[in-house]
Amino acid sequence: MLKSIIKTLLGGIFVAAGAVSVAQAADKVVYQLDWLPGGDKAPIYVCIQKGFCADAGLEVTIESGRGSSEAITKLATGVSDIGSAGIGALMAAKAAEDVPVTAVMSLFNKGPHAFYTIKGTMTTIEDVKGKSVATSPFTESNIYLPLVLEDIGMSEADITLTKADPGALGPMLMTGATDVIIAWLTDVARYTGQAKEAGKELVILPWSAAGLELYSASLVASDKFLTERPDVAKRFLAAYKKSVEFSRDNTREAAEAVAAVVPELSVENVEGSLKDALVLVYNDVTDKDGLGTFEESRLKATWERVSKAQGLDPAALDPESIVDRSFAAGS
């Protein structure tokens, strides 16, 4: 009997010691957001809330962000280890300053840019000619607008473009203060809700209809993190990828994971935004190339668009030099 009790106690001690060892062994990772929390950011919250990160031996904290440029700067300066940013912003930063940041996984393999208008105003993207168009001064879409207009045989002189606070775009469209707004496809649920309240119906015209095919949001990491802790980076990528797949299959639970950390967000709105974002993650490109893949020709085409949009020398950057596919096994 005594031996049994001792065995049980020792077993408990070993389990506790093992738990402490696991806790002590957890590698800390700082994840950098490129924008505010929301449905499109759900996988990192799922990774933490559902234990995928912990199961991979990772203790992950989230750093707030206000745009891709700021996110890349924080990664380059060592504030954060890995996070999300527009690959176009990374390409421009690498071409200009060779920042020590590398893309390791594609998140959006299609551009999120689109025209939103009220039904009856436009039926094709070419119908934007002569319309009043409102956009946020901070959106990446502004970089690509001249290219989209050029693709359909127009220039900015063919539209009346105004810039407004992002929160004002929806009300401007619903009240008729503008014919068209420029917004991302991750906001379909939000603007559809506003239109429904106004008794109106939206028409959404993605810029991919004009031929704007390119990679967009991506996972990017500091070179210091990848060089000094490659095993941690690989475990993070595996856990993150698992979180993306969980978010696709369990949108409600994924939205709840976000709202658990950011309670001012409603689960319904986050779930709507997540469903919008998933279209940019899972589509015909994913079917062909796989989740998270950077395919060579599409990457090259993205740089051609980015360099033209920003007036950069196409020869200033080899797009292959900004990606490392070795960390996202199975992509």
Side-chain angles (χ1 to χ4, degrees), residues 111-135:
H113 320 286
F115 287 134
Y116 282 56
T117 188
I118 300 298
K119 186 177 182 180
T121 307
M122 293 170 56
T123 55
T124 69
I125 198 165
E126 288 81 3
D127 294 334
V128 74
K129 187 172 184 177
K131 300 293 192 299
S132 58
V133 180
T135 184

Side-chain angles (χ1 to χ4, degrees), residues 144-156 158 210 305 308:
Y144 298 110
L145 177 63
L147 297 187
V148 170
L149 293 174
E150 183 180 334
D151 286 344
I152 54 178
M154 301 179 200
S155 70
E156 287 192 37
D158 290 305
R305 287 288 194 168
K308 185 175 182 180

Side-chain angles (χ1 to χ4, degrees), residues 2-317:
L2 180 60
K3 288 183 178 179
S4 176
I5 293 173
I6 292 174
K7 184 178 180 181
T8 301
L9 288 174
L10 288 175
I13 291 171
F14 288 143
V15 169
V20 170
S21 176
V22 169
Q24 289 176 337
D27 293 293
K28 294 185 177 181
V29 175
V30 179
Y31 185 89
Q32 180 65 54
L33 294 178
D34 60 348
W35 195 241
L36 302 176
D40 59 324
K41 307 293 186 291
I44 189 57
Y45 293 94
V46 165
C47 197
I48 295 171
Q49 293 293 308
K50 294 298 179 182
F52 299 147
C53 286
D55 291 346
L58 306 172
E59 180 183 340
V60 178
T61 55
I62 298 175
E63 181 78 13
S64 62
R66 289 281 182 175
S68 291
S69 296
E70 183 194 74
I72 291 168
T73 298
K74 286 185 173 180
L75 290 162
T77 55
V79 174
S80 306
D81 299 310
I82 191 167
S84 56
I87 198 167
L90 176 60
M91 287 175 162
K94 295 285 279 189
E97 301 179 44
D98 193 23
V99 292
V101 178
T102 298
V104 291
M105 178 179 173
S106 168
L107 299 178
F108 293 174
N109 56 30
K110 290 195 174 186
H113 320 286
F115 287 134
Y116 282 56
T117 188
I118 300 298
K119 186 177 182 180
T121 307
M122 293 170 56
T123 55
T124 69
I125 198 165
E126 288 81 3
D127 294 334
V128 74
K129 187 172 184 177
K131 300 293 192 299
S132 58
V133 180
T135 184
S136 162
F138 309 111
T139 178
E140 182 189 24
S141 303
N142 297 337
I143 296 172
Y144 298 110
L145 177 63
L147 297 187
V148 170
L149 293 174
E150 183 180 334
D151 286 344
I152 54 178
M154 301 179 200
S155 70
E156 287 192 37
D158 290 305
I159 62 174
T160 302
L161 186 66
T162 60
K163 295 185 178 179
D165 184 271
L169 294 178
M172 288 178 69
L173 181 62
M174 308 314 161
T175 60
T178 185
D179 299 318
V180 182
I181 63 171
I182 295 173
W184 282 26
L185 296 172
T186 53
D187 287 326
V188 171
R190 179 159 64 96
Y191 287 121
T192 298
Q194 292 182 9
K196 188 175 181 181
E197 289 179 5
K200 299 182 178 180
E201 187 175 344
L202 288 181
V203 170
I204 300 165
L205 301 166
W207 289 0
S208 57
L212 190 69
E213 295 286 355
L214 71 175
Y215 289 117
S216 182
S218 303
L219 270 190
V220 299
S222 77
D223 289 352
K224 177 179 173 64
F225 176 58
L226 297 177
T227 301
E228 296 182 358
R229 299 194 292 162
D231 175 62
V232 177
K234 288 181 180 178
R235 280 188 276 130
F236 178 85
L237 264 291
Y240 188 89
K241 190 174 179 181
K242 187 175 182 179
S243 303
V244 173
E245 292 166 341
F246 180 93
S247 299
R248 175 197 60 192
D249 299 335
N250 306 273
T251 56
R252 186 72 179 185
E253 285 187 65
E256 290 171 348
V258 178
V261 180
V262 192
E264 57 267 37
L265 296 178
S266 79
V267 173
E268 289 73 19
N269 288 342
V270 173
E271 185 179 16
S273 174
L274 171 59
K275 289 180 177 177
D276 294 340
L278 285 171
V279 176
L280 302 172
V281 179
Y282 291 98
N283 47 55
D284 57 320
V285 177
T286 321
D287 293 340
K288 182 173 73 70
D289 299 331
L291 175 63
T293 300
F294 286 116
E295 191 273 326
E296 184 177 353
S297 62
R298 194 174 186 83
L299 190 66
K300 181 181 177 184
T302 300
W303 169 236
E304 289 173 354
R305 287 288 194 168
V306 170
S307 59
K308 185 175 182 180
Q310 303 204 29
L312 300 171
D313 179 2
L317 180 76

